Amino acid sequence: DTGVSQDPRHKITKRGQNVTFRCDPISEHNRLYWYRQTLGQGPEFLTYFQNEAQLEKSRLLSDRFSAERPKGSFSTLEIQRTEQGDSAMYLCASSLAVTGDEKLFFGSGTQLSVL
Amino acid sequence: GESVGLHLPTLSVQEGDNSIINCAYSNSASDYFIWYKQESGKGPQFIIDIRSNMDKRQGQRVTVLLNKTVKHLSLQIAATQPGDSAVYFCAEKGQAGTALIFGKGTTLSVSS
């Protein structure tokens, strides 16, 4: 257990529905990342926050995706009007942004299935 | 563009053997590299990392080698155990403030 928790672990939804995932990072970590992983592939970067500021978004992050970290602690990732291609594992990671220590600690992910 | 790739998608070894997992990267500006292990149904777990000012770093049963001349990274696991069976990913980080970019992974299978 890395200390990063994600909820829910699994989500099944119908195409067109909205879904929201939550991530609680390690408490002293100021950076929080969202990645997406499909079967057989490495994690793909989506976006990251430093404290409450969203500093970078991937081109993969379509307009249907939105992420927030309102108080610089937990984060939510919402997908609107889900499509079957959104089916994937959504991983959250956190890190302590200090010089010399850049490793990310990942949660166990939320597995999304869009029917 | 930035990309990180693996030479082999799968590697099968016998328990007790040493394993070597390879990774090629394309961004010569990357200054930080990291290996993760991912077991089924779990998130990636940190194994070892290395900065570009080093060419070797050792951990417990693991060694990472970095060859910047040919942009190659490898992970060596000594005395491989069945519990080492997992998918291994290398990842790189190009510049301060950007995220880790992952390769496709190598599945390591250890038979006893």
Side-chain angles (χ1 to χ4, degrees):
Chain A
D1 182 8
T2 62
V4 178
S5 60
Q6 293 188 245
D7 183 69
R9 288 296 312 277
H10 304 274
K11 178 70 177 178
I12 300 173
T13 192
K14 293 183 179 179
R15 189 176 52 189
Q17 297 295 304
N18 299 342
V19 294
T20 300
F21 311 140
R22 176 180 170 123
C23 172
D24 287 88
I26 295 171
S27 58
E28 62 267 27
H29 284 184
N30 56 355
R31 284 192 179 170
L32 186 148
Y33 302 77
W34 285 99
Y35 282 79
R36 178 173 67 189
Q37 186 177 26
T38 53
L39 196 62
Q41 303 296 313
E44 296 175 304
F45 168 73
L46 294 178
T47 188
Y48 93 94
F49 294 83
Q50 177 146 329
N51 301 313
E52 64 274 11
Q54 189 172 16
L55 295 187
E56 187 176 348
K57 291 195 291 187
S58 165
R59 292 187 299 273
L60 295 175
L61 207 65
S62 79
D63 292 344
R64 297 184 297 105
F65 287 67
S66 62
E68 294 183 344
R69 195 183 184 199
K71 298 181 180 179
S73 57
F74 74 92
S75 175
T76 58
L77 177 68
E78 181 183 18
I79 309 174
Q80 296 181 326
R81 304 180 303 282
T82 52
E83 301 172 358
Q84 288 185 325
D86 296 332
S87 295
M89 173 77 82
Y90 289 84
L91 292 163
C92 175
S94 68
S95 71
L96 184 63
V98 294
T99 302
D101 188 356
E102 299 184 65
K103 54 183 172 286
L104 273 58
F105 294 86
F106 283 86
S108 294
T110 294
Q111 182 67 53
L112 173 65
S113 297
V114 181
L115 305 179
Chain B
E2 295 184 25
S3 67
V4 179
L6 275 296
H7 291 297
L8 292 175
T10 61
L11 177 65
S12 297
V13 299
Q14 293 285 322
E15 182 178 3
D17 287 352
N18 296 333
S19 303
I20 300 175
I21 301 172
N22 295 305
C23 175
Y25 65 94
S26 61
N27 186 357
S28 56
S30 293
D31 60 1
Y32 177 75
F33 304 88
I34 188 167
W35 282 98
Y36 281 92
K37 170 187 179 183
Q38 188 173 25
E39 297 173 288
S40 181
K42 297 184 179 180
Q45 176 187 357
F46 168 80
I47 301 173
I48 192 167
D49 57 0
I50 189 168
R51 297 204 161 274
S52 59
N53 60 353
M54 303 173 68
D55 53 21
K56 181 179 180 179
R57 193 169 187 209
Q58 288 184 293
Q60 187 177 9
R61 284 200 307 118
V62 294
T63 301
V64 55
L65 299 177
L66 176 62
N67 185 331
K68 294 181 287 293
T69 302
V70 295
K71 292 185 284 189
H72 183 268
L73 189 70
S74 68
L75 176 70
Q76 300 178 359
I77 305 174
T80 314
Q81 302 168 0
D84 294 327
S85 294
V87 181
Y88 289 80
F89 293 98
C90 65
E92 64 178 325
K93 189 164 181 283
Q95 49 189 298
T98 60
L100 290 175
I101 305 300
F102 284 78
K104 291 185 178 180
T106 291
T107 300
L108 176 65
S109 299
V110 183
S111 52
S112 54

